[in-house]
Every structure is written in C-alpha cells, then in structure tokens.
C-alpha cells in the first residue's frame, strides 16, 4: 500500500488510525495514540519486563509476530542497528489489517525498520542470523510450537526472548496443555500452554546454553499464567544480558523449577 | 538358523517351529500386542505401512494376516551408529518367506507425495520423538483409512488434554527425548488433523501406562468399525 508522501494532518491521521483494528497502543504524536486493545500502561510494563536490562545497542533484531510493531519500535529506540519486523496472521487477517497498521505507525514514527511478511512456520536459516530474536506472544498460538521453536533457534545468534501463555506451571514435571477449539479465552488461535519445566527441557534440547526466566508482570492477585524467557546461545556475548535484574532466575539452577511451581500454587 | 545369532534382536520373532529370535520384547507380549492392534480389523488386501518397525514384528504380522503390500519403516532404531536392526528385519522377512518392503524413513518427512496406505501402524510413537506433532502430521498425510498408534501415556489424572515430556532410555541403548500424552490430547490432536472416529484401549500387557489408539478417517466404511469392541472404547462417539 502506498503511503501519502506529505505529512498527514492530525485529523487525517486520526481518520487513518480509525480504519484499522489496533492491538498495540502506540503514541504517534503528542495527543494521538493508536486505540490498541493493549493499553499504553500494560505495554510499558511488558516493555520494561522483557527489554529492560537487555543490551540492544548495535545489535540486529528479529521480531517474530510483530503485529502493530510496538516491540520492533522499542528495539530500535533501545539502539538496535537493524530491526526486521515480521508477521503473517495478523498482517493478512482482514479483520486486523495489521500490516497496513504497522506501516502507518512506522511511517509516522519515522523509524528505520524493515518488514517482511512471513509466517513463523516458514522461517528458515535463509532469513539470516540475528543477535536478538523476539518471540513474544506467539508460541501458544502455534499448532506445532516445537517446530517453530526449532526454526527461531536456527536464526538466533545470541539471545532469544520468549514471552508466552503457560499452563501446568504449578507442576515440576515438564508438560503442556492442548486447547482444542476456542477453549482458551474463546480464541481458536490458541493451541498450547507449556509450563516452565517444559520450556527448560525444550530450550536446552535446542542448544541454548543458559535459560533465564521471570514471571510476566501480572497485576497483583491475578494468576501467574504467562512467563518470559531469555535464552542465550553458547556463542552469546554475556554483556547482552548483563543488565537483567534479580527477578530473572537461571531456570536450571537447583530448586528454581520447584520454587516457581510453589509460587504459582500460591 | 545360524544367521539369527549374527544380529542383535529387539523383538522375538518366530522364524520357524523351533526358531525364535532372542529379542528384548518377548514373543508372548508381541502376540498380545498384535492381537490388540490387528484383531479388530480385516487386513486382507490392504496396503499397510509400519512406522517405527524395529525388527518388523507387526509388519510381518500384517503380511501373515493377508495385507497386499507391507512397507516397514524406521528411523532412529535403524540409523543409530552400529545398528543392525534394519538388516535383522530383512533377514527375518526372508527367513519367514514374507515379502515386505523396508525403508529408512523419518515420520516427520512423510507427505502425500509418499503415497497413502489403508492402514498406518506406529508403535512406541510419542515415546521417542522430540516433535510428535510434526510426526503426527506426517502419519495423517499417508493414511487413507486407519491409523493405529501405540504409545506411553501420562497425565492420566488430568481431565484436560495434556502431553508430558520425558527423557527415556530405549531398548537399543540410547536415551531419547520423547512425550507421553493422555487420551484426551491424542483424541484432540487427531481430530484437528481430520480423523473422525477415534478409539482407545489400554495396552494389553502394560496396562494404563501405555495406550492403543485407532483413528479412522470420515470416508472409512462403517464395517471397519465393528471390530472395535471392549476393551476398545470410542473417545469421539461414546455410547
């Protein structure tokens, strides 16, 4: 889709914004923010939890499942040298028109970010190797999450960041729950809920040398049903995660999986 | 027959009145498994493929039961360094006078280009697969009527579909990462892949720790269902 060459007036920009369904609330101009299903406050908390302490400076970044691009934009603002935003389902689903929405936000923000329409099930090493791969909110939407984990591993040079819904997290035995139909959140695109023990098992089997975990920034009193993983390849520069805070735990350290399970049970 | 001693046997196969290969799995257990798997169906004239054949016990049994064509395949057990399991299978087929084909094949690599078989048999299925979902897709692609699966089970206390991961030692010495689903998980995965009627029973000798599944495609003739009586139970059409 060709974008207008001259800047849109505020009213024209608002009209364009209204043409799309927005998942991310992205401030585009003073007083003009996209009407995302995820609020600015929630996104700021997620950005803090996922990206704070990661050294993006000068790194190459792949965003798998970028949707409206909030985290791609954030990676660029954190100093990434190159960012490739990718998506397929939300970019091509007529209800979402996510690629057009992403392109509107990218043009408005003036950020030098590449984009590629590619489904995660089609990612191969030909895509290249990226210092940091962001795989946020995608894993549980895949009928075959193991295949796609293998694929994103193949394009991860140093650090894979995974954010996912999880289940059975009160158990120490690795496993995952299957959600047929629209059982999970009335959403037929939700397929699997793994637990942290399983993520450790899979990520180690895929050759990650260190796997750190932190809980998603759940509001107090809500179920701990999402988790965030920072997975380092054997070749990773340790400085890339040097800034991570104490909320991150080495997942294979003695007692960590039982402790997490106990925290979820509470 | 002196040739028997030149192979390491995973399965005890009767090659003659007084000749049984010295396998890890004994003859009586295999006979009960064979009857549990093939007892409910008529294999006469069928095209059959066995996935994960080890020494081909169920491939040879399918041929004995009248299958027109039987293709025995395996991947891990036939390709591990030093493995002679494929050669042993071929030796057993020749010694038995049963004409079966053999081919090294990873179930993740099956696609429709490979052709379809009336009956697909996969034992020890989830147990030794890092990605059983990809392998299930492969099995679906080559099934024209009936898929028979035998697997370890876990998560039986869960009412929801779950699949638990394991690292298990195998009969041929390696430890492999695999999975153990519960019946609900197998049912729903197979339904998502297009199977219509799915039956389940406990393993004939291992009990609830292992399970057998029979999944039929929609256009399978009704008479193919009649053999699935107790202890088989329908997961998709109870009652």
């Amino acid at each position: 889709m060709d974008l207008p060459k001259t800047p849109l007036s505020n009213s024209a920009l608002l009209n364009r914004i209204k043409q799309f369904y927005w998942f991310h609330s992205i401030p585009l101009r003073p007083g003009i923010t996209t009407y995302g299903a995820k609020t600015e406050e929630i996104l700021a908390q997620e950005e803090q939890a996922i990206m704070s302490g990661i050294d993006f400076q000068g790194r190459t970044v792949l965003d798998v499942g970028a949707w409206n691009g909030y985290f791609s934009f954030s990676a660029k603002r954190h100093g990434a040298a190159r960012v490739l935003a990718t998506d397929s389902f939300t970019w091509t689903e007529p209800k979402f028109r996510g690629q057009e929405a992403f392109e509107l936000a990218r043009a408005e923000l003036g950020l030098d970010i590449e984009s590629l329409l590619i489904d995660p099930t089609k990612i191969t090493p030909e895509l290249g190797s990226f210092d940091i791969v962001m795989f946020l909110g995608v894993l549980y939407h895949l009928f075959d999450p193991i295949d796609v984990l293998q694929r994103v591993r193949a394009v991860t040079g140093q650090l894979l960041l995974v954010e996912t819904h999880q289940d059975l997290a009160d158990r120490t035995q690795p496993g995952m729950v299957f959600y047929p139909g629209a059982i999970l959140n009335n959403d037929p695109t939700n397929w699997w809920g793994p637990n942290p023990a399983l993520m450790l098992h899979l990520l180690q089997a895929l050759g990650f040398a260190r796997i750190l975990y932190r809980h998603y920034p759940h509001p107090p009193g809500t179920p701990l049903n999402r988790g965030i993983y920072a997975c380092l390849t054997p070749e990773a520069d340790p400085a890339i995660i040097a800034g991570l805070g104490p909320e991150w735990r080495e997942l294979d350290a003695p007692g960590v999986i039982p402790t997490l399970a106990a925290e979820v049970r509470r | 027959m002196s040739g028997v001693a030149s192979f390491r046997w995973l399965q005890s196969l009767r090659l003659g009145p007084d000749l049984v290969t010295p396998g890890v799995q004994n003859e009586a257990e295999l006979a009960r498994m064979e009857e549990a798997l093939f007892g409910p169906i008529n294999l006469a004239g069928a095209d059959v493929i066995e996935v994960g054949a080890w020494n081909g016990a169920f491939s040879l049994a399918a041929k004995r039961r009248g299958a027109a064509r039987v293709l025995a395949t395996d991947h891990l057990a036939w390709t591990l360094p030093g493995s002679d399991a494929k050669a042993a299978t071929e030796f057993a087929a020749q010694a038995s006078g049963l004409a079966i084909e053999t081919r090294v094949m990873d179930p993740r690599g099956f696609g429709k280009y490979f052709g379809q078989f009336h009956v697909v048999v996969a034992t020890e299925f989830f147990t030794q697969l890092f990605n059983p979902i990809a392998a299930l897709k492969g099995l679906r692609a080559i099934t024209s009527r009936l898929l028979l699966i035998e697997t370890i089970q876990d998560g039986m206390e869960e009412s929801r579909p779950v699949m638990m991961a394991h690292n298990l030692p195998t009969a041929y010495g390696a430890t492999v990462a695999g999975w153990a689903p519960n019946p609900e998980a197998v049912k729903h995965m197979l339904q998502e892949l297009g199977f219509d009627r799915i039956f389940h029973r406990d393993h004939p000798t291992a009990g609830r720790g292992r399970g057998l599944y029979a999944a039929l495609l929609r256009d399978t003739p009704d008479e193919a269902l009649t053999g699935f009586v107790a202890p088989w139970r329908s997961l998709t059409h109870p009652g």
Side-chain angles (χ1 to χ4, degrees):
Chain A
M1 180 179 183
D2 291 333
L3 291 167
K5 304 297 184 209
T6 54
L8 296 167
S9 66
N10 282 352
S11 62
L13 177 59
L14 282 167
N15 284 336
R16 290 290 309 283
I17 289 171
K18 288 174 183 170
Q19 290 174 11
F20 308 118
Y21 172 89
W22 291 87
F23 186 57
H24 295 153
S25 299
I26 304 171
L28 298 182
R29 291 181 191 174
I32 298 181
T33 297
T34 63
Y35 312 108
K38 274 196 178 178
T39 65
E40 277 187 87
E41 182 186 13
I42 288 174
L43 283 162
Q45 289 168 358
E46 290 184 352
E47 182 180 2
Q48 167 74 18
I50 296 165
M51 303 176 83
S52 177
I54 306 290
D55 177 14
F56 282 89
Q57 199 65 43
R59 313 283 188 187
T60 56
V61 176
L62 172 67
D63 188 359
V64 178
W67 204 330
N68 298 143
Y70 181 92
F71 294 98
S72 296
F73 304 145
S74 178
K76 193 70 185 175
R77 287 169 169 149
H78 278 77
R82 179 191 175 210
V83 177
L84 175 60
T86 69
D87 209 313
S88 176
F89 177 71
T90 71
W91 280 10
T92 55
E93 167 64 39
K95 185 173 80 175
F96 299 139
R97 297 172 65 190
Q99 188 168 24
E100 293 170 78
F102 164 82
E103 287 172 354
L104 174 63
R106 177 176 61 176
E108 189 59 34
L109 295 171
L111 292 170
D112 177 20
I113 289 173
E114 301 165 45
S115 65
L116 180 68
L117 180 67
I118 185 171
D119 192 271
T121 62
K122 300 290 190 286
I123 288 175
T124 67
E126 281 68 50
L127 192 61
S129 179
F130 297 80
D131 295 322
I132 300 172
V133 175
M134 299 192 296
F135 190 48
L136 313 175
V138 177
L139 182 82
Y140 58 99
H141 287 298
L142 299 162
F143 182 75
D144 187 350
I146 305 166
D147 173 65
V148 177
L149 263 186
Q150 288 178 296
R151 291 174 182 277
V152 296
R153 169 66 182 92
V155 296
T156 302
Q158 301 198 53
L159 174 67
L160 172 66
L161 292 168
V162 183
E163 189 275 336
T164 184
H165 163 82
Q166 50 196 26
D167 206 327
L168 299 178
D170 58 338
R171 295 177 62 160
T172 57
Q173 184 187 2
M176 58 184 182
V177 179
F178 186 65
Y179 307 113
I183 281 180
L184 181 64
N185 299 334
N186 199 32
D187 182 348
T189 73
N190 289 331
W191 288 112
W192 290 100
N195 65 9
L198 177 65
M199 292 298 289
L200 175 64
H201 172 86
L202 293 176
L203 293 163
Q204 283 183 328
L206 291 173
F208 287 102
R210 290 177 66 193
I211 296 133
L212 294 96
Y213 170 88
R214 62 157 292 163
H215 290 309
Y216 176 89
H218 297 91
T222 60
L224 299 177
N225 60 4
R226 299 186 82 95
I228 304 168
Y229 300 81
C231 319
L232 290 159
T233 66
E235 302 78 27
D237 170 8
I240 203 165
I241 59 158
L244 292 184
E247 62 278 11
W248 289 90
R249 288 172 270 190
E250 298 273 359
L251 204 48
D252 66 345
V256 169
I257 292 286
T259 300
L260 291 175
E263 289 171 5
V264 171
R265 281 194 291 272
R266 279 199 296 271
Chain B
M1 189 179 292
S2 62
V4 168
S6 61
F7 299 104
R8 286 174 300 158
W9 293 91
L10 300 165
Q11 295 173 323
S12 301
L13 309 174
R14 180 161 292 277
L15 303 183
D18 300 314
L19 183 60
V20 178
T21 64
V24 176
Q25 285 185 316
N26 71 48
E27 189 183 12
E29 284 177 8
L30 286 165
R32 290 185 66 184
M33 259 288 287
E34 176 191 330
E35 183 55 26
L37 281 170
F38 292 152
I41 58 176
N42 177 9
L43 286 172
D47 291 343
V48 178
I49 184 171
E50 186 181 8
V51 178
W54 287 31
N55 291 144
F58 304 114
S59 296
L60 297 171
K63 194 68 184 175
R64 273 196 305 271
R65 287 172 179 252
R69 179 192 177 204
V70 176
L71 173 58
T73 72
D74 207 312
H75 184 237
L76 194 61
W78 286 6
T79 57
L80 284 171
S83 169
D84 60 1
K86 180 170 183 281
T89 303
E90 289 161 349
F91 173 86
Q94 189 173 29
S96 307
L98 295 166
I100 64 168
E101 303 162 44
T102 58
R103 182 162 168 179
V104 172
M105 194 69 209
D106 183 333
R108 292 171 300 180
F110 286 127
K112 281 206 168 169
Y113 69 89
F114 194 78
Q116 290 200 314
F117 296 78
H118 300 113
V119 180
V120 177
V121 187
T123 57
E124 294 260 348
F125 182 67
F126 288 85
T127 321
Q128 300 176 12
L129 292 165
F130 180 69
N131 187 350
I133 303 166
L136 268 185
K137 286 181 174 178
L139 297 190
R140 169 64 187 89
I142 61 169
T143 303
S144 68
R145 289 194 174 173
L146 171 66
L147 170 62
L148 294 167
I149 290 176
E150 185 272 338
T151 182
I152 193 169
Q153 300 182 141
D154 200 350
M156 302 298 278
E157 73 289 355
E158 277 277 348
S159 59
R160 300 184 299 167
V162 300
M163 196 159 69
M164 311 307 288
H166 289 259
N167 281 309
L168 290 173
T170 64
Y172 37 85
T175 297
V176 295
W179 294 84
N182 67 4
E184 280 296 293
V186 177
K187 176 184 84 172
H188 285 293
M189 283 190 281
L190 290 172
Q191 281 186 311
E192 291 295 338
L193 291 173
F195 289 97
D196 177 41
R197 289 177 176 268
I198 299 156
F199 296 86
H200 170 258
R201 59 161 287 172
D202 290 339
H203 191 281
T205 59
R208 298 224 78 193
R210 305 188 71 89
L212 274 58
Y213 297 84
L216 296 104
L217 291 166
R218 189 172 295 277
D219 53 358
T220 303
D222 283 349
E223 54 265 32
L225 305 173
T226 56
F228 290 101
V229 295
W232 288 95
R233 65 187 176 96
S234 176
L235 296 176
T236 49
H237 299 72

